[in-house]
Amino acid sequence: MIITLNNIKPSYMSESEVSGSDVYLKKNINLESGKNYLFKANSGSGKSSILNFIYQSNENFEGSIQYKNIRYKNKIDIRKNFISYVFQDFKLFGNLSVWDNIKIKNNLTVHKTDKEINDLLNKIGLSEKKDSLVNKLSIGQRQRTAIVRSLCQPFKFLLLDEPFSNLDEDNITIITKILNNELENKAAGLIVTTLNNKYLFSYNKIFKL
């Protein structure tokens, strides 16, 4: 799968605001599955926006985004089968348990077994919290829940928006290893946004927004 960004720009930003970008208003930026990409930016520079554009949850942009070397019917098909996304605000259901939040997605995709999900929860230290309501969890625990949920579907690209902002170094190490394994098994690409200089993965290309 190749995602091609062509002359894109957030509609709510001026050309002068994105003049220094390596991505915005640039022709034929190709993102290939199997490779890792970092989008680095200051707050307010369209960091989350670029992922929302790619995921098609926000269409408030100029230019075009193409999805090549795959067959799909619509944007729902792309989200279900080709792109998984860990949003910065997680998009979890606070009145449901950790387990139910994960199973809602997995019931739609039938991608992982219950044992595989339990193994993931155990590895990231959430097995004892799986029956707890999400709104009773710490922010870091919610972040880990959202990451596990993102793995419960097929994908050719995994989008991570500030994925480790609320995690300690031990959890970051564990989750990075899990994600690298999933990416390798799926021959998938990774797109990460960050505000800081922590390069947690090995990146094929780093873009400044």
Side-chain angles (χ1 to χ4, degrees):
M1 179 180 179
I2 299 175
I3 300 173
T4 299
L5 314 177
N6 199 3
N7 286 320
I8 65 169
K9 180 184 77 66
S11 300
Y12 45 85
M13 296 179 75
S14 67
E15 289 192 13
S16 62
E17 288 179 288
V18 299
S19 60
S21 172
D22 296 332
V23 177
Y24 290 135
L25 293 179
K26 297 297 188 292
K27 294 182 179 179
N28 298 320
I29 301 292
N30 290 315
L31 309 173
E32 303 176 27
S33 56
K35 295 185 177 181
N36 297 345
Y37 302 93
L38 175 67
F39 288 171
K40 186 182 173 189
N42 296 323
S43 182
S45 300
K47 182 173 51 63
S48 295
S49 295
I50 189 71
L51 297 189
N52 292 334
F53 298 155
I54 290 170
Y55 194 63
Q56 295 195 40
S57 57
N58 181 349
E59 298 181 350
N60 191 19
F61 66 91
E62 301 166 12
S64 66
I65 300 177
Q66 296 175 300
Y67 307 89
K68 302 175 181 177
N69 298 345
I70 60 169
R71 292 183 179 181
Y72 62 94
K73 298 176 182 178
N74 50 44
K75 63 184 179 182
I76 300 300
D77 195 20
I78 290 175
R79 294 174 189 171
K80 183 177 179 180
N81 296 298
F82 300 105
I83 300 178
S84 188
Y85 189 1
V86 180
F87 292 85
Q88 192 171 2
D89 60 357
F90 316 139
K91 307 294 186 189
L92 297 170
F93 297 98
N95 60 338
L96 296 180
S97 68
V98 168
W99 183 257
D100 287 341
N101 266 276
I102 294 168
K103 287 291 287 184
I104 283 176
K105 170 166 277 193
N106 202 67
N107 287 342
L108 293 173
T109 62
V110 195
H111 189 64
K112 289 193 178 295
T113 65
D114 284 357
K115 181 182 184 305
E116 288 173 324
I117 296 172
N118 275 312
D119 286 346
L120 286 171
L121 290 173
N122 184 58
K123 287 177 181 177
I124 65 171
L126 279 181
S127 57
E128 294 183 0
K129 294 289 186 180
K130 74 175 190 177
D131 295 320
S132 300
L133 297 182
V134 163
N135 60 18
K136 301 295 184 182
L137 302 180
S138 69
I139 294 178
Q141 290 168 336
R142 295 178 195 181
Q143 194 162 41
R144 282 179 277 163
T145 300
I147 289 170
V148 171
R149 184 184 61 179
S150 74
L151 302 179
C152 292
Q153 70 166 84
F155 58 81
K156 285 298 180 184
F157 273 96
L158 178 62
L159 312 184
L160 304 177
D161 193 1
E162 287 286 337
F164 304 132
S165 55
N166 300 290
L167 301 180
D168 58 40
E169 292 296 330
D170 288 342
N171 275 308
I172 290 172
T173 299
I174 292 168
I175 292 173
T176 300
K177 183 177 179 180
I178 290 171
L179 294 181
N180 277 327
N181 185 61
E182 291 275 347
L183 291 165
E184 183 177 353
N185 289 340
K186 290 179 169 66
L190 178 69
I191 304 175
V192 180
T193 65
T194 185
L195 290 168
N196 58 42
N197 292 312
K198 286 184 141 182
Y199 297 171
L200 302 167
F201 295 91
S202 175
Y203 295 103
N204 297 93
K205 178 76 174 180
I206 297 175
F207 294 99
K208 177 186 174 184
L209 285 180

